[in-house]
Amino acid sequence: MKLKEVMNFPVLTIDSDEAVHKAAHIMSTNNIGSLIVTQNGKPVGIVTERDILKKVVATCRDVRHVKASDIMSKSLKTADPNMDLVNAANLMIKNGIKRLPIIEDGKLVGMVTFTDLLRVYPDITKSFEIDVEKLPKKYKKWLRR
């Protein structure tokens, strides 16, 4: 099975210069946990609820003055829509990420979460390149769901 068969789309984005309060509003309104951060229309990072909580709220920064680019994860790992689910899961585990933006011809076309992969392919762990028992605790928690 390919990522294009399970990816979520459209993907909501926010410009890198927008304030964090706008990101929080978009996420809250749309009941989602992350936004892809763009600059000149190109994906450059991702901002999550956890980023907002840890990097803004917990440190008492003003959500009106902190930019999405200030708190985003910059090393954006992406995949092609034709990547198979097992390779995508291995990529996510090796990079410690839960969300994988899907890029085709330089454009953001979808998003897949680790939970999406487990939902459509519950036995995916049998195909992992690494020993599931050696995974960090957070991954074991995801696999128990």
Side-chain angles (χ1 to χ4, degrees):
M1 187 176 285
K2 306 292 183 192
L3 289 178
K4 65 184 173 186
E5 299 172 61
V6 299
M7 70 183 186
N8 301 297
F9 60 91
V11 180
L12 296 180
T13 63
I14 190 163
D15 189 80
S16 61
D17 288 330
E18 291 286 352
V20 168
H21 78 88
K22 184 173 181 182
H25 177 76
I26 293 169
M27 285 189 252
S28 176
T29 302
N30 292 282
N31 197 31
I32 57 174
S34 65
L35 293 171
I36 296 297
V37 180
T38 60
Q39 194 168 47
N40 300 321
K42 301 274 187 204
V44 294
I46 187 168
V47 67
T48 67
E49 293 168 315
R50 188 178 188 105
D51 292 328
I52 294 170
L53 181 65
K54 290 183 115 183
K55 298 174 184 177
V56 182
V57 176
T59 58
C60 298
R61 294 171 73 186
D62 189 335
V63 293
R64 297 169 297 173
H65 297 96
V66 178
K67 295 179 187 177
S69 60
D70 295 336
I71 65 165
M72 70 181 184
S73 297
K74 295 173 181 78
S75 59
L76 193 63
K77 301 296 180 198
T78 64
D80 180 271
N82 291 308
M83 178 182 274
D84 70 69
L85 302 188
V86 172
N87 287 340
N90 280 312
L91 175 68
M92 294 169 87
I93 287 172
K94 286 178 183 175
N95 289 283
I97 58 175
K98 297 183 215 178
R99 299 166 177 91
L100 188 60
I102 311 302
I103 306 289
E104 185 172 43
D105 299 325
K107 295 183 180 171
L108 180 64
V109 295
M111 175 86 82
V112 172
T113 67
F114 198 80
T115 304
D116 294 332
L117 299 181
L118 291 172
R119 191 174 299 124
V120 298
Y121 188 8
D123 291 334
I124 198 167
T125 57
K126 294 176 182 170
S127 304
F128 286 170
E129 293 172 4
I130 58 175
D131 182 0
V132 174
E133 292 306 313
K134 294 180 181 175
L135 290 174
K137 287 180 184 177
K138 68 178 180 179
Y139 291 105
K140 290 179 187 174
K141 182 175 75 175
W142 298 343
L143 296 174
R144 281 194 295 268
R145 292 183 182 170

